Structures are given as C-alpha cells and as structure tokens.
Amino acid sequence: MAKVSTITANGVTYDINNGIVKVSGSFSSLPYTLSDSSIKSNMVVLESYFNNPSALESDISWTTANGSITLSGTASGTTTFSLVLGSVL
C-alpha cells in the first residue's frame, strides 16, 4: 500500500505529513488571536464551526503565523469555535 503525503483539492495541494490541526476557543469580540505551537504560517482553514453564528456580524477572515491564528471581522456576542487547519505546499 502506498503512503499518501499530499491531497490536492480545487487546485491547492495540502501537505498532510506536516499535519492537520484542530483548534478551538471562544471569543466575544474580534480580532481574536489563538496561540498554539502546532499552527504554522502556511496553514489555511479547511473547516470551521461556530456554535453561535448569529454572533458574527461579518465574514470572518484569518491570518496564520508560526504559533498562532488571528481571526478578524465583526462580532456582537460570544461564540465558541472549532477550526481545522492544513498546511499548503
């Protein structure tokens, strides 16, 4: 059996050897920065879940850095969230 090291979807290749990371947290205002040493600067959000989407008044954008992700947008209430991040080649 061959070992799969990358997945390509919609023209973007993801490096699954360098990890798929799930992080979670809670915020009531944005921007919000979550620190986690497993987050790398070349990661993108593959999946997101917000338990209270009505608290989000705008689209949410993100910026990753080594060790953190910052969520930006407008929020008017508290929501918890889960994000699945993957590395882009």
Side-chain angles (χ1 to χ4, degrees):
M1 179 182 298
K3 181 180 176 186
V4 175
S5 61
T6 63
I7 296 173
T8 301
N10 297 321
V12 178
T13 300
Y14 301 96
D15 180 1
I16 61 175
N17 282 335
N18 286 322
I20 301 290
V21 176
K22 183 175 181 181
V23 296
S24 59
S26 176
F27 61 81
S28 58
S29 65
L30 295 170
Y32 173 81
T33 299
L34 175 72
S35 296
D36 186 309
S37 62
S38 60
I39 299 171
K40 305 300 178 209
S41 62
N42 69 332
M43 290 185 153
V44 296
V45 175
L46 302 175
E47 182 177 88
S48 63
Y49 170 77
F50 297 89
N51 83 318
N52 181 16
S54 63
L56 306 176
E57 294 184 340
S58 69
D59 289 339
I60 302 299
S61 61
W62 66 86
T63 304
T64 54
N66 288 329
S68 68
I69 184 168
T70 299
L71 304 177
S72 299
T74 306
S76 65
T78 300
T79 186
T80 60
F81 66 90
S82 295
L83 304 173
V84 176
L85 306 172
S87 296
V88 176
L89 289 178

